[in-house]
Amino acid sequence: DTEVTQTPKHLVMGMTNKKSLKCEQHMGHRAMYWYKQKAKKPPELMFVYSYEKLSINESVPSRFSPECPNSSLLNLHLHALQPEDSALYLCASRGQGAVQPQHFGDGTRLSIL
Amino acid sequence: DAKTTQPNSMESNEEEPVHLPCNHSTISGTDYIHWYRQLPSQGPEYVIHGLTSNVNNRMASLAIAEDRKSSTLILHRATLRDAAVYYCILSLNYGGSQGNLIFGKGTKLSVKP
């Protein structure tokens, strides 16, 4: 069982819908991450939050909007997505110290119709 | 970001040792070497990390070359459950990008019964 919980596990949405992905951890980690993973490709870093503040945005389109309402929760709000945005979205968290390992959830598999 | 080079795929027999190589000739003195693996339908999982000395944990061993330009992940007795994509990643230990993971293509390990 993973210590990082992502919901929903699967999501199908149309291009005009608005939906949100949720990520939760209760390990006291203050660094949290969103990654995007296309089929048979490695994960690509999207956003990094440190102490609930956005520290890195890897040039992600504005149709993806991250939010970190508290130290345990990370959301990814989705609006007007394109079919090419269909992918596995992974969340991770890391304890204090740069060499601490990242703990990953099992992801949300997103399909855009 | 410093890059790593890994073979695309490797095969092993069950209960035999596996040596997964990684080249990182542009590694800097402050880069840590991390290994993660991703089993099918799961998020990545931390395996091991090191800086200069060889490291052992319950999952694997990490052998680091003296010049740090290459490393080898060693699974001492492969099991069917070890079939996964193994990623070798260099991670900064300081600065705004500290602790961030930039995944390369990884090595897909198959384990035969």
Side-chain angles (χ1 to χ4, degrees), chain A residues 33 35 37 40-43 45 48 55-56 58 88 90 94 97-107 109, chain B residues 32 34 36 38 41-46 49 87 91-94 96-105 108:
Chain A
Y33 305 79
Y35 293 83
Q37 185 173 25
K40 301 191 187 303
K41 299 289 187 184
L45 184 63
V48 181
S55 61
I56 291 179
E58 292 284 357
L88 181 68
L90 293 160
R94 177 175 60 80
V99 295
Q100 291 299 311
Q102 290 190 19
H103 297 249
F104 285 81
D106 286 334
R109 190 160 300 281
Chain B
Y32 275 76
H34 294 252
Y36 283 74
Q38 188 171 20
S41 302
Q42 293 187 23
E45 172 188 32
Y46 168 79
H49 76 273
Y87 294 103
S91 177
L92 284 173
N93 188 31
Y94 71 96
S97 296
Q98 64 173 312
N100 292 350
L101 302 177
I102 305 300
F103 287 78
K105 295 180 181 178
K108 184 174 183 179

Side-chain angles (χ1 to χ4, degrees), chain B residues 32-94:
Chain B
Y32 275 76
I33 303 159
H34 294 252
W35 284 82
Y36 283 74
R37 71 180 185 181
Q38 188 171 20
L39 281 65
S41 302
Q42 293 187 23
E45 172 188 32
Y46 168 79
V47 177
I48 200 166
H49 76 273
L51 183 62
T52 55
S53 304
N54 294 345
V55 184
N56 300 296
N57 67 20
R58 64 175 180 81
M59 289 181 72
S61 295
L62 177 60
I64 301 173
E66 198 168 334
D67 63 4
R68 300 211 325 128
K69 293 183 184 299
S70 66
S71 60
T72 302
L73 179 71
I74 303 164
L75 307 179
H76 296 285
R77 287 181 72 228
T79 69
L80 296 177
R81 196 193 172 278
D82 291 321
V85 178
Y86 286 78
Y87 294 103
C88 168
I89 305 166
L90 301 183
S91 177
L92 284 173
N93 188 31
Y94 71 96

Side-chain angles (χ1 to χ4, degrees), chain A residues 4-66:
Chain A
V4 175
T5 304
Q6 291 189 243
T7 53
K9 292 192 186 304
H10 301 274
L11 178 62
V12 179
M13 58 186 286
M15 289 190 284
T16 58
N17 292 157
K18 284 185 182 181
K19 296 285 186 184
S20 297
L21 309 184
K22 180 180 170 181
C23 173
E24 200 162 2
Q25 57 88 14
H26 295 286
M27 295 177 282
H29 293 173
R30 304 309 292 273
M32 295 187 76
Y33 305 79
W34 280 114
Y35 293 83
K36 173 182 177 180
Q37 185 173 25
K38 301 283 278 184
K40 301 191 187 303
K41 299 289 187 184
E44 297 176 13
L45 184 63
M46 299 174 72
F47 301 105
V48 181
Y49 272 83
S50 179
Y51 291 86
E52 294 93 72
K53 292 192 189 310
L54 183 65
S55 61
I56 291 179
N57 174 342
E58 292 284 357
S59 303
V60 179
S62 60
R63 57 186 184 269
F64 295 91
S65 175

